[in-house]
Amino acid sequence: MQDKSFWNANWAAWEEDFNPSPFAQKALKLMTVKGGHDVLDLGCGKGRNSLFFASNGFNVTAMDISDEALGVVDRLKHPKITTVCADVSKQDLGIEKYDAVFACLSLHYFNDTVTRQIIDKIYKALRAGGIFFIRCKSVKDRFYGIGEQIAPDMFFDDLIRHFFRPEYMREILSDFENVAVSETEEDYFGPCAFVDGIALKASA
Ligand SMILES: C[S@@+](CC[C@H](N)C(=O)[O-])C[C@H]1O[C@@H](n2cnc3c(N)ncnc32)[C@H](O)[C@@H]1O
């Protein structure tokens, strides 16, 4: 995976864009129907989705490895957003703290073992009936196969990327009660192909 200095350098160079992802718009609809207050935006970057959730009434923990990106979130001074600078692969996410966890393009940098450890922490961090949204790059993405292959569906080019298949997404979410997996295409710094997962933890 990439370290903090890599992400700080990237975020220093990227434009700020506070338009929420369409995936966040979809998530908000489901979160609103389900109720609850507390959302963890994992790998939030400069906070486009955190800001959107907070502006719609949710308490947001905006977590990222990059303090450069989180500096922008802090400058927004939204009363419903708390920032946490942490590496999700090492950070304790707590037990039953959140009604929703949202991870948009932040969990496709880790090998299979670490990915499963993070999903397990997310499962435990969700309250009963909580909902998990995860979007990762797909094996159909234009960057798939570029660079040195370091593991199945993992390549190192300018950064390490772990590309997802729908069946892999289903498998890593198998502890959840209900799982919906879909393939999507969208522009994010160019045309991209994603695998999206929406997973519901069983109610108590
Ligand atoms: C492609 S960006 C997506 C940002 C944001 N979720 C969005 O949709 O705009 C990936 C984000 O994951 C963060 N990230 C990468 N590795 C991380 C790690 N180990 N722990 C926490 N955040 C990480 C990066 O700093 C970056 O902000």
Side-chain angles (χ1 to χ4, degrees):
M1 60 163 257
Q2 290 61 237
D3 63 9
K4 183 176 189 162
S5 57
F6 172 93
W7 285 109
N8 276 345
N10 266 272
W11 278 121
W14 286 347
E15 295 285 314
E16 291 174 26
D17 171 10
F18 292 112
N19 294 316
S21 159
F23 191 47
Q25 295 173 2
K26 186 174 182 177
L28 178 73
K29 284 188 191 150
L30 285 165
M31 283 156 50
T32 306
V33 169
K34 281 201 67 30
H37 308 282
D38 302 311
V39 184
L40 171 62
D41 184 1
L42 209 48
C44 61
K46 286 182 174 173
R48 61 180 179 144
N49 302 313
S50 298
L51 187 62
F52 177 62
F53 296 139
S55 304
N56 281 281
F58 286 87
N59 305 318
V60 182
T61 301
M63 187 181 289
D64 204 282
I65 197 171
S66 165
D67 46 16
E68 173 78 30
L70 290 175
V72 175
V73 186
D74 281 332
R75 280 205 300 279
L76 298 172
K77 289 196 188 316
H78 197 293
K80 284 185 163 288
I81 301 180
T82 306
T83 55
V84 177
C85 187
D87 175 349
V88 64
S89 67
K90 302 193 176 120
Q91 178 76 0
D92 178 6
L93 300 181
I95 303 290
E96 298 186 2
K97 277 181 76 174
Y98 303 104
D99 300 298
V101 176
F102 183 79
C104 182
L105 303 175
S106 52
L107 297 183
H108 51 206
Y109 303 114
F110 309 95
N111 67 28
D112 175 56
T113 305
V114 175
T115 304
R116 289 173 194 270
Q117 286 166 354
I118 296 170
I119 300 290
D120 187 52
K121 288 196 289 190
I122 290 170
Y123 183 86
K124 290 176 177 144
L126 278 168
R127 297 186 178 123
I131 188 160
F132 175 38
F133 301 91
I134 169 172
R135 163 167 282 184
C136 291
K137 274 197 179 274
S138 145
V139 293
K140 294 180 182 168
D141 190 78
R142 71 190 193 285
F143 288 114
Y144 183 85
I146 295 178
E148 180 196 351
Q149 179 153 19
I150 53 174
D153 293 335
M154 261 186 109
F155 297 87
F156 172 62
D157 184 24
D158 52 331
L159 74 168
I160 293 172
R161 291 192 183 93
H162 180 187
F163 297 86
F164 277 45
R165 297 172 188 273
E167 52 273 28
Y168 179 71
M169 183 69 95
R170 263 184 224 103
E171 195 196 319
I172 62 173
L173 297 177
S174 59
D175 282 348
F176 288 83
E177 186 181 48
N178 270 310
V179 177
V181 173
S182 56
E183 295 183 90
T184 50
E185 287 182 6
E186 217 172 274
D187 244 53
Y188 182 72
F189 299 100
C192 299
F194 304 130
V195 177
D196 294 347
I198 300 178
L200 192 68
K201 183 169 173 174
S203 300

